Amino acid sequence: MRRIAVLNGPNLNLLGTREPEIYGTLTLADIESLIAAYAAERGLEVRYEQYNGEGQMVDALQRLVRWADGIVINPAAYTHYSIAIRDAIAAIGTPVVEVHLSDLAERAKREPFRAISVTADVCIAQISGLGPNSYLRGIDALLAHERLVADLPVHPDRG
Ligand code: DQA
């Protein structure tokens, strides 16, 4: 795994001022700097993209598959209802990890509809509730997935 794309969805461009009691005070640029330092220590090249539109997210996934070995995605609100983004993730065959800053399952703080993700089960993992660290654990999950796949025994039928 050499190249990782970090794709953020709607309203994440407003991080820093957007509901700081839920999403914290770091801006998206701050979070991208944290990711950059983490990735650099691991020799990874990272590309960052953020879109507010559903179609733009689908276009980005279809395009990034030609560049990235793995994708960390925070689909934001689309997590809860975008079959188009789900289908794009399922179609591209590149490992994708879904991440969220907030804990989607935290019933006391988050609305029940946020516990539903239509995208998580086509991803290799969902990481939620760790703030900016969710993105770093997302990178870890991509690296662990790569090791796991490399260690799989070759199926006898495939010689
Ligand atoms: C989010 C959680 C979503 O429910 C919400 O719509 C977001 C951000 C998160 O990172 O916690 O925009 O994906």
Side-chain angles (χ1 to χ4, degrees):
M1 181 110 11
R2 285 285 141 260
R3 294 163 156 185
I4 290 180
V6 178
L7 179 58
N8 277 294
N11 299 306
L12 293 169
N13 55 316
L14 300 179
L15 287 176
T17 55
R18 175 193 179 196
E19 300 181 90
E21 65 288 357
I22 296 173
Y23 299 117
T25 53
L26 294 187
T27 65
L28 186 55
D30 293 334
I31 293 174
E32 288 174 353
S33 297
L34 292 173
I35 298 168
Y38 194 76
E41 285 167 15
R42 285 153 187 80
L44 300 167
E45 198 182 334
V46 188
R47 188 174 282 185
Y48 308 92
E49 300 195 13
Q50 186 275 329
Y51 300 102
N52 289 324
E54 185 179 22
Q56 291 169 301
M57 298 282 289
V58 170
D59 287 343
L61 285 163
Q62 291 184 12
R63 180 169 33 75
L64 285 167
V65 68
R66 294 197 292 273
W67 181 84
D69 302 313
I71 298 173
V72 175
I73 188 170
N74 183 345
Y78 292 134
T79 305
H80 313 301
Y81 66 94
S82 176
I83 306 301
I85 291 175
R86 176 199 166 87
D87 286 351
I89 295 169
I92 61 176
T94 300
V96 178
V97 179
E98 176 180 318
V99 303
H100 300 280
L101 295 155
S102 63
D103 182 355
L104 299 185
E106 196 176 7
R107 297 183 71 90
K109 289 204 191 142
R110 307 255 62 192
E111 302 90 338
F113 66 78
R114 293 190 201 274
I116 296 163
S117 169
V118 300
T119 46
D121 71 329
V122 289
C123 294
I124 62 165
Q126 185 202 53
I127 297 160
S128 162
L130 304 178
N133 282 330
S134 292
Y135 291 85
L136 308 186
R137 296 294 81 80
I139 290 175
D140 292 344
L142 287 173
L143 295 174
H145 175 78
E146 182 182 50
R147 284 195 297 274
L148 205 68
V149 171
D151 287 349
L152 282 180
V154 177
H155 192 280
D157 292 348
R158 283 183 233 136

